[in-house]
Amino acid sequence: DIVMTQSPDSLSVSLGERATVTCKSSQSLYHGLGEKNYLVWYQQQPGQPPKPLIYWASTRNSGVPDRFSGSGSGTHFTLTISSLQPEDVAVYFCQQYLSTPFTFGPGTKVDIK
Amino acid sequence: QVQLQQWGAGLLKPSQTLYLTCAVYGGSFSDYYWTWVRQPLGKGLEWIGEINHSGSTTYNPALESRLTMSVDTSTNEITLSLHSVTAADTAVYFCARGTYFRDTRGYNLRVGLDSWGQGTVVTVSS
């Protein structure tokens, strides 16, 4: 199985400041099929199912605010919230879609400082 | 707008079988990978497996020996069956829709899980 790790476990950021979450995979998530990195980011707010934010490591889903951005390739990926808003308080998960089982990272909790 | 509505027994005893159903309303049923994910309370997410409209399945090897997924295209429902449950199976279980883009060569390029059910809390306790 591909092992996904995230850092930090939790993060406190002031409103309007930048929040950065890192996700690493035990093997490269780049595949020549489509020339994509098969890495997805989700946001999960308390009591809710996860909501997809970004796929292929850097493509925002429809309706996701542009303060959310994803970057990275291979085994190292980053989710950045450029200006933290109150509604961004949540746990953020990465998931690899390269090979089954499609494993998730353990999550990073983001809250307001 | 697709909606996924799920239901099933929430309290089980060890060794019993967990059985959940997820109904899909709106949108196409045949163009997606229907997926189950679970989440122990306060913990991370575990991918359980997926099934397509023709019944082709891919299971998490960690659960495969106890797991069965099925699909009913007449009602647009998917079901999850996990037998011989233990306390370790206590979690919130989600159904979700796995999506892809088909590129110009006809390959399915996965983009993750774009719609989710509300979750079902399953507790295994004697």
Side-chain angles (χ1 to χ4, degrees):
Chain A
D1 298 2
I2 296 176
V3 177
M4 306 297 291
T5 58
Q6 289 182 231
S7 61
D9 295 335
S10 63
L11 183 60
S12 292
V13 176
S14 299
L15 286 173
E17 295 299 306
R18 178 185 301 261
T20 302
V21 179
T22 296
C23 172
K24 293 183 181 178
S25 55
S26 60
Q27 65 187 75
S28 176
L29 301 185
Y30 179 82
H31 198 285
L33 184 66
E35 300 175 351
K36 307 292 186 188
N37 285 278
Y38 287 91
L39 187 284
V40 181
W41 287 100
Y42 299 90
Q43 174 194 67
Q44 186 177 31
Q45 292 171 325
Q48 298 295 316
K51 169 189 172 183
L53 295 177
I54 287 169
Y55 60 92
W56 296 340
S58 61
T59 302
R60 262 192 309 276
N61 274 276
S62 174
V64 174
D66 61 7
R67 63 180 180 272
F68 291 93
S69 64
S71 63
S73 183
T75 62
H76 192 161
F77 302 90
T78 300
L79 172 71
T80 301
I81 310 171
S82 61
S83 175
L84 191 75
Q85 301 302 304
E87 61 268 29
D88 301 336
V89 171
V91 179
Y92 293 85
F93 294 94
C94 58
Q95 182 193 21
Q96 63 84 12
Y97 250 96
L98 182 73
S99 64
T100 58
F102 296 132
T103 44
F104 292 86
T108 295
K109 184 176 182 180
V110 176
D111 61 19
I112 307 294
K113 183 186 291 183
Chain B
Q1 183 79 357
V2 65
Q3 289 188 6
L4 281 65
Q5 186 172 344
Q6 52 182 109
W7 64 88
L11 181 61
L12 297 172
K13 296 185 185 302
S15 80
Q16 290 185 326
T17 297
L18 180 160
Y19 193 84
L20 299 175
T21 302
C22 175
V24 179
Y25 300 103
S28 168
F29 187 74
S30 60
D31 293 335
Y32 300 95
Y33 297 90
W34 301 100
T35 303
W36 291 95
V37 173
R38 70 181 182 179
Q39 184 174 36
L41 197 62
K43 297 190 178 179
L45 299 159
E46 181 178 25
W47 185 85
I48 298 172
E50 66 182 18
I51 187 168
N52 67 11
H53 72 284
S54 63
S56 176
T57 55
T58 304
Y59 296 151
N60 188 326
L63 300 168
E64 186 165 14
S65 63
R66 301 190 289 130
L67 189 59
T68 302
M69 293 183 186
S70 62
V71 62
D72 185 341
T73 55
S74 67
T75 57
N76 286 2
E77 293 178 355
I78 58 172
T79 60
L80 168 72
S81 176
L82 183 68
H83 65 83
S84 303
V85 296
T86 70
D89 296 311
T90 295
V92 179
Y93 286 73
F94 296 99
C95 59
R97 186 176 77 171
T99 305
Y100 58 90
F101 289 124
R102 183 158 290 167
D103 75 356
T104 56
R105 295 165 293 179
Y107 293 114
N108 294 344
L109 309 181
R110 303 282 199 124
V111 300
L113 303 168
D114 70 344
S115 296
W116 293 65
Q118 77 276 19
T120 301
V121 178
V122 175
T123 303
V124 180
S125 174
S126 55

